Amino acid sequence: MGEYGAAIKIKLCAPALEGKANAALRSFLASELKIPERTILLKRGQKSREKIIRIEGLSEQEVRRCLLIKCKK
């Protein structure tokens, strides 16, 4: 959806039950960034709307650029 302060806001349709939303987030990020899902680690926020994600092999700037350019299209 775009920037939200220092974060990036992403809206998913998956329910927040039994980790389905977290799995959907990892799948979405892997697809958008064209990277394997195994390189995406949910560091904090497993049961929260606010999450901290670690992505191996990409800098924060690369992730922001890729996600935010797609958001503006």
Side-chain angles (χ1 to χ4, degrees):
M1 293 196 61
E3 292 185 271
Y4 187 72
I8 297 175
K9 188 171 187 175
I10 298 173
K11 191 171 191 175
L12 301 171
C13 294
L17 298 171
E18 301 173 0
K20 290 181 182 179
N22 292 337
L25 175 61
R26 290 180 66 224
S27 178
F28 169 79
L29 290 171
S31 175
E32 292 297 306
L33 299 171
K34 296 176 178 47
I35 58 173
E37 201 170 311
R38 69 180 179 275
T39 63
I40 301 168
L41 177 64
L42 183 57
K43 296 286 285 182
R44 189 167 41 185
Q46 284 80 356
K47 294 183 179 182
S48 172
R49 294 174 71 99
E50 295 184 16
K51 305 185 181 305
I52 295 180
I53 305 289
R54 178 171 178 240
I55 299 174
E56 295 178 14
L58 293 175
S59 71
E60 180 180 347
Q61 292 79 18
E62 291 171 313
V63 172
R64 284 183 173 280
R65 183 174 47 247
C66 184
L67 293 177
L68 295 174
I69 287 172
K70 291 183 184 257
C71 289
K72 294 177 182 175
K73 288 183 180 178

